[in-house]
Amino acid sequence: MLGIGQGLLGIGAFKQRLPRPEEALPGRDTPLPLHNVHYVNGQPLRDEFAGLEVLDVALGCFWGAERKFWQLPGVISTAVGYQGGITPNPGYEEVCSGLTGHTEVVRVVFDPAQVSLETVLRTFWENHDPTQGMRQGNDTGTQYRSALYCHSQRQFDAALASRQAYQQQLDAAGYGPITTEIAFPPPPFYYAENYHQQYLAKNPGGYCGIGGTGVSCPVGLGR
């Protein structure tokens, strides 16, 4: 999942650090156009989502990551976007340049009466390697870093507890420290271009790139 920016700048030390504010691209005032209908289930991508919970997760290339969550029972809607950076309303190639500071994120909207927050967090941890820093597998750069952007104090506390529980399992399996950023309140979320939304439903043979460590996250996350 390489953009023009990667080809121009190369994949090296520069893409292993977040840009300073003076280095960041200017972006734009206007959000990118969005077709506000989920390609798979017809739900809105952008809404108030009354009575539902929203959690933003970054676990590598957002194409495969989004599919993991729209397939999870109890998840009502998903959308992909850019979060955790500096540049307002960035485009994909700008994010890939390493000059916006954003990571590729999936916005997960779920019904807590149908699926628990702990199950959503377990799905997050088990479907990538959260110890890799500014990369995920062969995908290298700041836009592939692991992150959890929480929308409530309860989510934030649960995310911290889940990280601690999963770290113990990873330690036993010989992995290093988790590098996942966990934040509340969440930074601004910018919806990605229409062609990225539910990409693998539109392109079934498309690149996925999502894979876990094979280490199970404890049921109930030790809480």
Side-chain angles (χ1 to χ4, degrees):
M1 193 176 176
L2 302 180
I4 290 175
Q6 288 179 318
L8 293 176
L9 294 173
I11 300 175
F14 175 78
K15 295 210 58 191
Q16 295 299 307
R17 67 168 180 85
L18 294 172
R20 294 183 290 270
E22 64 270 19
E23 297 173 326
L25 296 174
R28 54 197 53 79
D29 295 332
T30 305
L32 301 177
L34 179 69
H35 180 58
N36 194 28
V37 178
H38 197 285
Y39 184 81
V40 176
N41 61 30
Q43 294 290 331
L45 305 184
R46 179 165 49 206
D47 195 75
E48 293 299 320
F49 296 118
L52 303 176
E53 287 200 45
V54 178
L55 179 67
D56 301 321
V57 301
L59 54 157
C61 171
F62 53 18
W63 293 346
E66 185 184 18
R67 182 170 63 181
K68 289 290 183 183
F69 285 95
W70 85 54
Q71 292 177 338
L72 185 65
V75 169
I76 306 303
S77 184
T78 58
V80 297
Y82 313 116
Q83 204 167 5
I86 301 168
T87 300
N89 299 298
Y92 175 66
E93 291 170 358
E94 293 171 322
V95 172
C96 287
S97 76
L99 291 172
T100 74
H102 295 286
T103 187
E104 296 185 14
V105 170
V106 180
R107 171 152 288 184
V108 181
V109 182
F110 63 100
D111 184 348
Q114 299 182 49
V115 61
S116 67
L117 172 61
E118 286 75 18
T119 296
V120 175
L121 288 169
R122 186 169 66 239
T123 302
F124 166 78
W125 292 118
E126 291 184 353
N127 281 285
H128 75 303
D129 181 348
T131 70
Q132 293 192 330
M134 300 297 184
R135 61 185 288 263
Q136 195 60 217
N138 292 326
D139 291 330
T140 303
T142 53
Q143 79 268 30
Y144 299 116
R145 71 187 187 273
S146 175
L148 284 168
Y149 297 126
C150 303
H151 288 246
S152 69
Q153 185 66 48
R154 185 181 76 86
Q155 287 185 356
F156 182 67
D157 293 343
L160 293 177
S162 70
R163 181 175 62 185
Q164 181 179 8
Y166 198 43
Q167 184 67 71
Q168 294 175 358
Q169 301 299 110
L170 291 173
D171 288 345
Y175 284 86
I178 289 173
T179 59
T180 302
E181 176 188 358
I182 300 178
F184 171 69
F189 176 92
Y190 301 105
Y191 287 87
E193 295 86 342
N194 283 314
Y195 77 92
H196 288 301
Q197 305 296 339
Q198 300 85 59
Y199 180 88
L200 290 182
K202 301 170 184 174
N203 303 274
Y207 171 76
C208 177
I210 292 297
T213 61
V215 178
S216 296
C217 189
V219 175
L221 305 169
R223 300 188 74 217

